[in-house]
Amino acid sequence: MKKINFLLVSVFVVGSIAFTSCQPKVGNAKLTNGADSVSYAIGILNGDGFRQNLKGLPGEVNIETLIAGFVETLRDENAKTKIPLEEANTFVQTYFQRIAEEEKAKSKIEGEKFLEENKAKSGVITTESGLQYQVITEGTGARPTETDRVKVHYTGTLLDGTTFDSTIERGEPAVFLVNGVISGWTEGLQIMPVGSKYKFWIPSELAYGEADNYSIPGNSMLTFEVELLEIME
């Protein structure tokens, strides 16, 4: 506690020195002295942290009510807020979990609808597992086996067209075991002769399933353009 108090005092002193002569009016905030300025500066720092964190949350956040809850609690530790303080954390977790599950269910339905329509298109082949692919360029080399290491270039996109990974953008191909990736890739790579470029549409159950994976939301159907460059020795 002493360490925290010392830090706050230090910030206040530095803020007073740095901002006492600076008295602009920004929005509704009047910076008339060092205390005003450092208070505003702390608000900016915390606001930026909140803004970054809120970007990754499902659903929409009402900024006005967020600020209202923040101010009510900040001004009075015994404030009678509309949601009791001891229930707030559980409420937040339960709410966002429900929103995430709803979005995953929606993503699953949208992916299945797309695949159902896509399989009827000319040149699209659907395997027994549900993997779909289209030959862009047919190579003449050997086909890899499940235990081979391969070198590939690829670009992966979500259903809405967002690119989530690309060796083309990184400027360097990837090397990995055929059986060391998602099952849609393991199956698809064994169809491709070296020198080929295929487009794959991978159902969520052959990709990452219900789990979120970095920038890939749960239940996402994935699209990949894959160029098989080499089977490694």
Side-chain angles (χ1 to χ4, degrees), residues 3-233:
K3 188 174 183 179
I4 294 174
N5 287 339
F6 175 76
L7 175 61
L8 291 175
V9 170
S10 298
V11 170
F12 181 83
V13 171
V14 172
S16 298
I17 295 173
F19 295 107
T20 298
S21 61
C22 189
Q23 301 178 2
K25 179 179 180 181
V26 184
N28 293 325
K30 295 182 179 180
L31 310 185
T32 58
N33 54 44
D36 290 343
S37 297
V38 76
S39 297
Y40 188 70
I42 291 171
I44 290 174
L45 295 174
N46 282 278
D48 182 66
F50 270 103
R51 182 171 55 82
Q52 297 299 330
N53 289 331
L54 291 174
K55 285 181 180 179
L57 294 177
E60 295 185 7
V61 176
N62 186 314
I63 300 300
E64 285 71 26
T65 54
L66 183 152
I67 293 172
F70 182 83
V71 170
E72 287 174 10
T73 307
L74 185 64
R75 285 178 171 169
D76 182 2
E77 62 179 330
N78 297 313
K80 296 185 183 299
T81 51
K82 293 179 175 62
I83 299 174
L85 179 61
E86 59 272 13
E87 296 178 13
N89 189 55
T90 300
F91 183 88
V92 168
Q93 291 180 348
T94 301
Y95 175 83
F96 283 116
Q97 183 177 357
R98 177 174 60 81
I99 294 295
E101 292 301 321
E102 289 175 357
E103 292 193 353
K104 287 180 182 180
K106 180 182 177 183
S107 181
K108 179 74 170 175
I109 292 170
E110 290 176 344
E112 290 174 347
K113 180 182 177 183
F114 173 88
L115 291 168
E116 184 64 28
E117 296 173 352
N118 192 58
K119 72 179 183 181
K121 294 180 180 178
S122 176
V124 175
I125 300 169
T126 303
T127 70
E128 187 176 345
S129 70
L131 174 70
Q132 295 181 0
Y133 69 94
Q134 184 177 49
V135 178
I136 299 173
T137 303
E138 185 75 355
T140 58
R143 287 183 172 85
T145 66
E146 187 174 328
T147 56
D148 282 331
R149 286 173 69 239
V150 294
K151 180 185 288 187
V152 303
H153 261 312
Y154 67 86
T155 297
T157 56
L158 301 174
L159 186 58
D160 65 2
T162 301
T163 298
F164 59 83
D165 194 10
S166 175
T167 60
I168 306 297
E169 292 180 1
R170 292 198 296 272
E172 183 177 0
V175 176
F176 47 74
L177 287 168
V178 173
N179 62 4
V181 287
I182 58 176
S183 59
W185 268 76
T186 299
E187 179 184 355
L189 286 168
Q190 294 179 81
I191 301 171
M192 301 178 69
V194 171
S196 296
K197 185 175 183 180
Y198 282 19
K199 189 169 187 176
F200 291 101
W201 294 273
I202 303 179
S204 61
E205 60 268 23
L206 299 180
Y208 297 101
E210 295 184 356
D212 294 330
N213 188 67
Y214 298 100
S215 56
I216 302 174
N219 280 341
S220 291
M221 188 281 298
L222 306 179
T223 302
F224 286 95
E225 284 196 4
V226 182
E227 184 177 4
L228 180 54
L229 303 174
E230 182 181 351
I231 298 173
M232 308 294 288
E233 296 293 335

